[in-house]
Amino acid sequence: MIPPDHPRYRSLVTRKHLAACVRTGIVSPEGLTAHGRGEAFDYFLGERTTESALVAERTAATLLSGARNPVISVNGNTAALAAREIAGLQKACGAKVEVNLFHRTEERVNLIEDLLRNAGAEVFSGPAERLLPLSHDRAWCRREGMFSADVILVPLEDGDRCEALVNMGKTVIALDLNPLSRTARTATLTIVDELTRALPNITGACGNLTDAERTELLASLDNNYLLSEAIREMTMRLAHALD
Ligand code: PTJ
Protein backbone atom coordinates (compact mmCIF):
# COMPACT_ATOMS: atom_id res chain seq x y z
CA MET A 1 0.00 0.00 0.00
CA ILE A 2 1.45 3.36 -1.05
CA PRO A 3 0.25 6.21 1.21
CA PRO A 4 -1.21 9.06 -0.90
CA ASP A 5 0.59 11.63 1.28
CA HIS A 6 4.00 10.19 0.39
CA PRO A 7 6.02 12.97 -1.30
CA ARG A 8 6.88 10.64 -4.20
CA TYR A 9 3.38 9.14 -4.42
CA ARG A 10 2.96 9.49 -8.19
CA SER A 11 6.39 8.05 -8.90
CA LEU A 12 5.80 5.10 -6.55
CA VAL A 13 2.38 4.35 -8.08
CA THR A 14 3.90 4.45 -11.57
CA ARG A 15 6.70 2.08 -10.56
CA LYS A 16 4.20 -0.32 -8.99
CA HIS A 17 2.11 -0.22 -12.17
CA LEU A 18 5.17 -0.92 -14.37
CA ALA A 19 6.22 -3.81 -12.11
CA ALA A 20 2.70 -5.25 -12.46
CA CYS A 21 2.97 -4.82 -16.24
CA VAL A 22 6.22 -6.81 -16.18
CA ARG A 23 4.32 -9.64 -14.51
CA THR A 24 1.64 -9.62 -17.27
CA GLY A 25 4.32 -9.41 -19.99
CA ILE A 26 3.43 -5.98 -21.38
CA VAL A 27 6.64 -4.39 -20.11
CA SER A 28 9.94 -6.21 -20.49
CA PRO A 29 12.03 -6.56 -17.30
CA GLU A 30 14.57 -4.29 -19.02
CA GLY A 31 11.79 -1.68 -19.29
CA LEU A 32 12.13 -1.04 -15.56
CA THR A 33 15.75 0.06 -16.00
CA ALA A 34 14.70 2.26 -18.92
CA HIS A 35 12.08 3.87 -16.68
CA GLY A 36 14.61 4.46 -13.91
CA ARG A 37 16.94 6.19 -16.34
CA GLY A 38 14.07 8.38 -17.48
CA GLU A 39 13.17 9.28 -13.89
CA ALA A 40 16.76 10.36 -13.20
CA PHE A 41 16.79 12.72 -16.18
CA ASP A 42 13.36 14.02 -15.20
CA TYR A 43 14.78 14.95 -11.76
CA PHE A 44 17.40 17.05 -13.54
CA LEU A 45 14.65 18.76 -15.53
CA GLY A 46 12.63 19.49 -12.40
CA GLU A 47 9.82 17.14 -13.51
CA ARG A 48 8.21 19.82 -15.65
CA THR A 49 7.79 20.69 -19.30
CA THR A 50 10.40 23.28 -20.21
CA GLU A 51 9.79 26.08 -22.68
CA SER A 52 11.98 24.41 -25.31
CA ALA A 53 10.16 21.08 -24.85
CA LEU A 54 6.86 22.85 -25.44
CA VAL A 55 8.24 24.27 -28.69
CA ALA A 56 9.32 20.74 -29.67
CA GLU A 57 5.84 19.41 -28.81
CA ARG A 58 4.16 22.07 -30.95
CA THR A 59 6.56 21.30 -33.79
CA ALA A 60 5.78 17.58 -33.42
CA ALA A 61 2.06 18.36 -33.69
CA THR A 62 2.73 20.31 -36.89
CA LEU A 63 4.76 17.48 -38.41
CA LEU A 64 2.31 14.72 -37.44
CA SER A 65 -0.86 16.51 -38.49
CA GLY A 66 0.72 17.60 -41.79
CA ALA A 67 2.06 14.15 -42.70
CA ARG A 68 0.88 11.90 -45.52
CA ASN A 69 1.30 8.65 -43.54
CA PRO A 70 2.15 9.42 -39.89
CA VAL A 71 2.88 6.51 -37.55
CA ILE A 72 3.15 6.35 -33.77
CA SER A 73 5.49 3.50 -32.78
CA VAL A 74 4.56 1.89 -29.47
CA ASN A 75 6.71 -0.31 -27.21
CA GLY A 76 5.91 -1.94 -23.88
CA ASN A 77 6.77 1.02 -21.63
CA THR A 78 4.85 3.47 -23.79
CA ALA A 79 1.72 1.30 -23.79
CA ALA A 80 1.89 0.71 -20.03
CA LEU A 81 2.36 4.38 -19.20
CA ALA A 82 0.21 6.11 -21.78
CA ALA A 83 -2.19 3.92 -23.79
CA ARG A 84 -5.04 6.44 -23.40
CA GLU A 85 -2.82 9.37 -24.35
CA ILE A 86 -1.68 7.47 -27.47
CA ALA A 87 -5.34 6.95 -28.43
CA GLY A 88 -5.99 10.67 -27.88
CA LEU A 89 -3.06 11.70 -30.06
CA GLN A 90 -4.15 9.28 -32.78
CA LYS A 91 -7.59 10.92 -32.86
CA ALA A 92 -6.05 14.38 -33.06
CA CYS A 93 -3.53 13.72 -35.86
CA GLY A 94 -4.85 10.64 -37.69
CA ALA A 95 -1.66 8.61 -37.26
CA LYS A 96 -1.46 4.85 -37.47
CA VAL A 97 -0.57 3.22 -34.16
CA GLU A 98 1.86 0.33 -34.66
CA VAL A 99 3.55 -1.86 -32.06
CA ASN A 100 7.31 -2.27 -32.50
CA LEU A 101 9.33 -4.09 -29.86
CA PHE A 102 12.96 -4.67 -29.04
CA HIS A 103 12.22 -7.70 -26.82
CA ARG A 104 9.76 -9.04 -29.37
CA THR A 105 7.50 -12.03 -28.94
CA GLU A 106 4.13 -12.55 -30.66
CA GLU A 107 2.59 -12.86 -27.21
CA ARG A 108 3.86 -9.42 -26.14
CA VAL A 109 2.76 -7.85 -29.43
CA ASN A 110 -0.77 -9.21 -28.90
CA LEU A 111 -0.93 -8.12 -25.26
CA ILE A 112 0.17 -4.58 -26.12
CA GLU A 113 -2.21 -4.34 -29.07
CA ASP A 114 -5.10 -5.42 -26.81
CA LEU A 115 -4.13 -2.85 -24.18
CA LEU A 116 -4.08 -0.11 -26.82
CA ARG A 117 -7.46 -1.19 -28.26
CA ASN A 118 -9.01 -1.23 -24.80
CA ALA A 119 -7.76 2.33 -24.32
CA GLY A 120 -9.55 3.45 -27.49
CA ALA A 121 -6.76 3.27 -30.08
CA GLU A 122 -7.20 1.78 -33.53
CA VAL A 123 -4.19 -0.49 -33.93
CA PHE A 124 -2.47 -1.05 -37.26
CA SER A 125 -1.77 -4.76 -36.93
CA GLY A 126 -1.56 -7.86 -39.07
CA PRO A 127 1.44 -9.79 -40.34
CA ALA A 128 4.75 -7.99 -39.92
CA GLU A 129 7.79 -8.42 -42.13
CA ARG A 130 11.48 -7.94 -41.44
CA LEU A 131 11.70 -4.68 -43.38
CA LEU A 132 14.02 -2.31 -41.49
CA PRO A 133 17.80 -2.63 -41.98
CA LEU A 134 18.49 -3.77 -38.41
CA SER A 135 19.95 -7.00 -37.05
CA HIS A 136 17.51 -7.14 -34.09
CA ASP A 137 13.78 -7.60 -33.84
CA ARG A 138 12.84 -3.93 -34.17
CA ALA A 139 13.32 -4.69 -37.87
CA TRP A 140 9.84 -6.28 -37.87
CA CYS A 141 7.15 -3.87 -39.07
CA ARG A 142 4.29 -3.52 -41.55
CA ARG A 143 4.80 -2.47 -45.16
CA GLU A 144 1.88 0.00 -45.19
CA GLY A 145 2.69 1.24 -41.68
CA MET A 146 6.12 2.10 -40.33
CA PHE A 147 7.95 1.04 -43.49
CA SER A 148 6.11 3.57 -45.68
CA ALA A 149 5.60 6.27 -43.01
CA ASP A 150 6.83 9.75 -43.85
CA VAL A 151 6.68 10.98 -40.24
CA ILE A 152 7.17 8.65 -37.27
CA LEU A 153 6.96 9.28 -33.54
CA VAL A 154 9.31 7.03 -31.53
CA PRO A 155 8.79 7.36 -27.78
CA LEU A 156 11.29 5.83 -25.32
CA GLU A 157 13.47 4.43 -28.06
CA ASP A 158 16.72 2.54 -27.74
CA GLY A 159 19.71 2.03 -29.96
CA ASP A 160 19.95 2.30 -33.69
CA ARG A 161 16.44 2.24 -35.17
CA CYS A 162 16.15 6.01 -35.19
CA GLU A 163 19.26 6.30 -37.37
CA ALA A 164 17.96 3.60 -39.71
CA LEU A 165 14.63 5.42 -40.10
CA VAL A 166 16.35 8.76 -40.75
CA ASN A 167 18.58 7.06 -43.35
CA MET A 168 15.40 5.79 -45.03
CA GLY A 169 14.39 9.44 -45.53
CA LYS A 170 11.78 9.61 -42.78
CA THR A 171 11.12 12.50 -40.44
CA VAL A 172 11.69 10.99 -37.00
CA ILE A 173 10.32 12.56 -33.82
CA ALA A 174 11.96 11.13 -30.69
CA LEU A 175 10.46 11.49 -27.23
CA ASP A 176 13.24 10.89 -24.73
CA LEU A 177 14.15 12.41 -21.36
CA ASN A 178 17.82 11.74 -22.10
CA PRO A 179 19.09 14.51 -24.41
CA LEU A 180 22.43 12.68 -24.77
CA SER A 181 21.05 9.44 -26.18
CA ARG A 182 21.94 8.32 -29.71
CA THR A 183 18.26 8.49 -30.55
CA ALA A 184 17.90 12.05 -29.26
CA ARG A 185 20.90 13.20 -31.30
CA THR A 186 19.96 11.36 -34.49
CA ALA A 187 16.26 12.26 -34.67
CA THR A 188 14.91 15.05 -36.85
CA LEU A 189 13.19 16.46 -33.76
CA THR A 190 13.60 15.41 -30.14
CA ILE A 191 11.16 16.18 -27.36
CA VAL A 192 13.02 16.10 -24.05
CA ASP A 193 10.05 15.65 -21.75
CA GLU A 194 8.25 12.93 -19.83
CA LEU A 195 5.92 10.81 -21.98
CA THR A 196 2.69 11.46 -20.06
CA ARG A 197 3.31 15.23 -20.00
CA ALA A 198 4.39 15.43 -23.63
CA LEU A 199 1.63 13.44 -25.35
CA PRO A 200 -1.31 15.62 -24.17
CA ASN A 201 0.66 18.73 -25.16
CA ILE A 202 1.17 17.38 -28.70
CA THR A 203 -2.50 16.37 -28.89
CA GLY A 204 -3.66 19.80 -27.71
CA ALA A 205 -1.40 21.56 -30.21
CA CYS A 206 -2.71 19.48 -33.14
CA GLY A 207 -5.99 21.38 -33.03
CA ASN A 208 -4.72 24.74 -31.81
CA LEU A 209 -2.01 25.98 -34.13
CA THR A 210 -2.61 28.58 -36.80
CA ASP A 211 -1.11 28.17 -40.28
CA ALA A 212 1.32 31.00 -39.53
CA GLU A 213 2.47 29.29 -36.32
CA ARG A 214 2.95 25.99 -38.16
CA THR A 215 5.06 27.65 -40.84
CA GLU A 216 7.18 29.39 -38.22
CA LEU A 217 7.70 26.21 -36.18
CA LEU A 218 8.87 24.24 -39.23
CA ALA A 219 11.13 27.05 -40.45
CA SER A 220 12.87 27.30 -37.07
CA LEU A 221 13.24 23.55 -36.39
CA ASP A 222 16.78 23.03 -35.06
CA ASN A 223 17.26 19.81 -33.08
CA ASN A 224 20.73 20.72 -31.82
CA TYR A 225 19.33 23.92 -30.38
CA LEU A 226 16.49 22.04 -28.65
CA LEU A 227 18.92 19.50 -27.18
CA SER A 228 21.33 22.19 -26.01
CA GLU A 229 18.42 24.01 -24.34
CA ALA A 230 17.43 20.82 -22.52
CA ILE A 231 21.04 20.29 -21.38
CA ARG A 232 21.23 23.95 -20.30
CA GLU A 233 18.05 23.58 -18.19
CA MET A 234 19.45 20.46 -16.51
CA THR A 235 22.85 22.05 -15.90
CA MET A 236 21.24 25.14 -14.36
CA ARG A 237 19.19 23.03 -11.96
CA LEU A 238 22.23 20.99 -10.97
CA ALA A 239 24.30 24.12 -10.45
CA HIS A 240 21.66 25.60 -8.13
CA ALA A 241 20.42 22.34 -6.56
CA LEU A 242 21.51 23.25 -3.03
CA ASP A 243 20.82 27.01 -3.12
O1 PTJ B 1 9.08 -2.92 -24.99
P1 PTJ B 1 10.38 -3.15 -25.70
O2 PTJ B 1 10.72 -4.62 -25.76
O3 PTJ B 1 10.40 -2.55 -27.08
O4 PTJ B 1 11.56 -2.45 -24.87
C1 PTJ B 1 11.42 -1.09 -24.56
C2 PTJ B 1 12.64 -0.50 -23.78
C3 PTJ B 1 12.21 0.82 -23.19
C4 PTJ B 1 13.04 -1.48 -22.68
C5 PTJ B 1 13.82 -0.34 -24.74
O5 PTJ B 1 13.41 0.46 -25.81
C6 PTJ B 1 15.05 0.24 -24.05
O6 PTJ B 1 15.87 -0.47 -23.52
O7 PTJ B 1 15.14 1.56 -24.07
P2 PTJ B 1 16.40 2.41 -23.48
O8 PTJ B 1 17.63 2.16 -24.27
O9 PTJ B 1 16.50 2.24 -22.00
O10 PTJ B 1 15.92 3.86 -23.84
C7 PTJ B 1 14.72 4.40 -23.34
C8 PTJ B 1 14.88 5.90 -23.21
O11 PTJ B 1 13.63 6.43 -22.78
C9 PTJ B 1 15.92 6.32 -22.14
O12 PTJ B 1 16.80 7.29 -22.72
C10 PTJ B 1 15.10 6.97 -21.02
O13 PTJ B 1 15.75 8.10 -20.49
C11 PTJ B 1 13.84 7.38 -21.74
N1 PTJ B 1 12.64 7.32 -20.90
C12 PTJ B 1 12.31 6.38 -19.99
N2 PTJ B 1 11.11 6.64 -19.45
C13 PTJ B 1 10.66 7.77 -20.03
C14 PTJ B 1 11.63 8.21 -20.97
N3 PTJ B 1 11.47 9.31 -21.72
C15 PTJ B 1 10.31 10.00 -21.57
N4 PTJ B 1 9.33 9.64 -20.68
C16 PTJ B 1 9.46 8.53 -19.92
N5 PTJ B 1 8.48 8.17 -19.08
Side-chain angles (χ1 to χ4, degrees):
M1 149 77 177
I2 300 166
D5 62 348
H6 191 287
R8 298 295 302 166
Y9 178 74
R10 192 169 185 273
S11 160
L12 294 178
V13 169
T14 304
R15 289 179 183 191
K16 194 171 174 184
H17 173 62
L18 286 175
C21 287
V22 171
R23 287 190 285 275
T24 60
I26 284 173
V27 172
S28 65
E30 293 82 354
L32 297 181
T33 14
H35 181 74
R37 183 192 289 172
E39 276 197 324
F41 278 103
D42 208 17
Y43 249 81
F44 297 158
L45 265 188
E47 297 176 305
R48 78 212 148 92
T49 300
T50 62
E51 225 173 275
S52 56
L54 196 56
V55 170
E57 284 153 9
R58 288 158 62 84
T59 311
T62 303
L63 289 167
L64 285 166
S65 52
R68 174 182 46 78
N69 186 16
V71 169
I72 305 170
S73 176
V74 177
N75 63 16
N77 284 48
T78 301
L81 291 172
R84 251 182 298 130
E85 289 84 352
I86 292 287
L89 176 57
Q90 177 180 46
K91 284 192 181 73
C93 73
K96 288 177 179 142
V97 168
E98 184 175 346
V99 173
N100 178 277
L101 302 180
F102 186 73
H103 308 283
R104 188 177 199 279
T105 62
E106 278 307 313
E107 192 195 350
R108 280 193 74 216
V109 172
N110 291 334
L111 279 169
I112 293 167
E113 289 186 348
D114 284 348
L115 174 66
L116 289 164
R117 284 194 194 98
N118 288 335
E122 211 175 287
V123 179
F124 194 72
S125 59
E129 297 171 70
R130 221 189 155 96
L131 293 172
L132 303 182
L134 297 165
S135 54
H136 51 76
D137 282 349
R138 278 199 188 280
W140 289 90
C141 68
R142 278 103 192 155
R143 196 169 283 280
E144 303 306 323
M146 209 163 281
F147 181 69
S148 47
D150 53 342
V151 176
I152 176 162
L153 174 66
V154 292
L156 283 56
E157 178 73 5
D158 58 332
D160 48 1
R161 184 174 62 136
C162 179
E163 189 175 359
L165 293 169
V166 168
N167 288 342
M168 288 168 78
K170 301 180 191 305
T171 297
V172 181
I173 305 167
L175 207 172
D176 190 340
L177 277 159
N178 177 5
L180 306 172
S181 75
R182 272 172 58 91
T183 297
R185 288 183 289 124
T186 319
T188 318
L189 167 71
T190 301
I191 301 164
V192 184
D193 198 3
E194 201 280 324
L195 178 74
T196 61
R197 291 196 304 266
L199 291 175
N201 287 342
I202 306 172
T203 302
C206 281
N208 275 345
L209 294 167
T210 64
D211 286 348
E213 285 171 324
R214 287 171 191 269
T215 307
E216 169 61 25
L217 285 163
L218 293 184
S220 55
L221 199 178
D222 178 348
N223 202 44
N224 273 343
Y225 170 76
L226 292 169
L227 293 178
S228 65
E229 277 298 290
I231 293 166
R232 192 183 59 78
E233 294 272 1
M234 290 181 186
T235 313
M236 289 264 289
R237 279 190 62 85
L238 284 171
H240 298 288
L242 300 179
D243 289 358

